[in-house]
Amino acid sequence: TTSIMKKSIGAFALFVSWTAVSVNSFSQHALLPRVSRKTVSGMKMVDGSVLSQAWDSYNVALAESPLLVKSVTAGVLLGAADLTGQSIERMQQNQQQISNNDDIDTGIDLARAARFAVFGLVLQAPWNHFYYLLLDGALPPTPEPFTTTTGIKVFIDQFIQAPIFTVLIFAFLGTLEGKSLDDVKQQLDEDYKDTMLANWKLWVPATAVNIAFCPPILRVLFLNIVFFAWSIFLSLKLNKSQATSES
């Protein structure tokens, strides 16, 4: 398990390193436009090598311990998604505060980001890992991407699984925040309908692409990537409701 964790974290570290190298390379290229093509070509080869190594390391770890790697990936991405959501909130709030000549709030709620990370680690990834094992076991993947089987699986995913899982999201995050059962029910009454409508706009096409084209081993990774954007929405939606109830 420790070895798998090291490989998984190593893959993330390599990916971050590649991102840093890419940004640095872009900055240097912008500042020094006369860099030779040979130098630029060498930089691209290094960047591609780092990215390839990160991807290979991730796939090795995923094959050896799929549930653990999927969970770690979801925890990292969902925690980052909440931090992104908080940044958006701060930008909106600061614009209002500047117009009102109020003090600017630059604080970050790390506990809130940690709750989303725990949600990804403990619930989101494990749920989808076992759910897709069950779904693919009952309805095996087809060679052709768009078939009746694909349509049935998308319907099951979005109109049976998704409504149940969304309730679990509200309950899980509400529990981590220390909300009572009545508070969770109230939030469901206020936000569940709008959340599901937004869910279907994003996740019906995303699920169709996932089931039609992604290999089973990579489906949760695809979900985690899309879930990054969805978690920003959830973060803003859930915490906006909380702020409204407190004001």
Side-chain angles (χ1 to χ4, degrees):
T1 300
T2 302
S3 175
I4 298 300
M5 286 289 291
K6 288 181 179 179
K7 290 179 180 178
S8 180
I9 294 171
F12 279 115
L14 286 168
F15 181 78
V16 172
S17 299
W18 171 80
T19 304
V21 169
S22 299
V23 172
N24 185 52
S25 298
F26 174 81
S27 300
Q28 291 179 357
H29 184 64
L31 293 173
L32 301 172
R34 295 183 180 179
V35 174
S36 67
R37 290 186 179 181
K38 182 177 180 181
T39 302
V40 173
S41 177
M43 291 163 60
K44 289 181 178 178
M45 289 178 63
V46 172
D47 293 352
S49 176
V50 171
L51 180 60
S52 177
Q53 186 178 359
W55 180 244
D56 290 343
S57 297
Y58 185 86
N59 278 294
V60 169
L62 186 63
E64 292 180 359
S65 186
L67 178 57
L68 178 60
V69 173
K70 291 172 186 177
S71 297
V72 171
T73 305
V76 172
L77 287 176
L78 270 60
D82 181 75
L83 290 174
T84 304
Q86 290 191 49
S87 298
I88 295 172
E89 285 180 344
R90 292 293 178 270
M91 291 173 59
Q92 295 172 343
Q93 292 171 1
N94 290 342
Q95 288 177 354
Q96 295 178 350
Q97 290 167 345
I98 290 173
S99 63
N100 296 331
N101 295 321
D102 295 332
D103 293 334
I104 295 177
D105 181 12
T106 59
I108 293 293
D109 188 348
L110 294 179
R112 171 176 150 184
R115 288 194 292 269
F116 267 81
V118 170
F119 160 66
L121 180 72
V122 174
L123 179 61
Q124 193 267 343
W127 171 279
N128 283 295
H129 172 77
F130 291 110
Y131 162 72
Y132 272 109
L133 287 178
L134 180 63
L135 184 65
D136 286 337
L139 296 170
T142 56
E144 295 297 324
F146 296 113
T147 63
T148 302
T149 299
T150 300
I152 293 172
K153 292 169 83 168
V154 171
F155 180 86
I156 292 172
D157 186 279
Q158 284 303 297
F159 298 99
I160 298 176
Q161 182 270 153
I164 296 171
F165 187 56
T166 300
V167 173
L168 292 178
I169 293 175
F170 277 77
F172 187 88
L173 292 175
T175 300
L176 290 183
E177 292 174 17
K179 292 181 179 179
S180 66
L181 181 60
D182 289 337
D183 291 334
V184 172
K185 289 181 178 178
Q186 181 180 354
Q187 192 166 37
L188 282 168
D189 291 338
E190 295 173 353
D191 295 329
Y192 182 75
K193 181 179 178 180
D194 290 342
T195 301
M196 287 308 307
L197 291 175
N199 170 90
W200 288 322
K201 291 177 182 178
L202 172 66
W203 283 105
V204 168
T207 300
V209 170
N210 193 17
I211 292 176
F213 296 107
C214 288
I217 190 67
L218 295 178
R219 282 183 182 162
V220 175
L221 174 60
F222 178 87
L223 285 176
N224 286 337
I225 294 171
V226 180
F227 221 97
F228 180 89
W230 180 240
S231 293
I232 294 174
F233 170 82
L234 288 176
S235 175
L236 294 171
K237 183 73 173 177
L238 297 180
N239 288 281
K240 180 180 179 180
S241 299
Q242 181 178 355
T244 302
S245 63
E246 290 176 352
S247 60

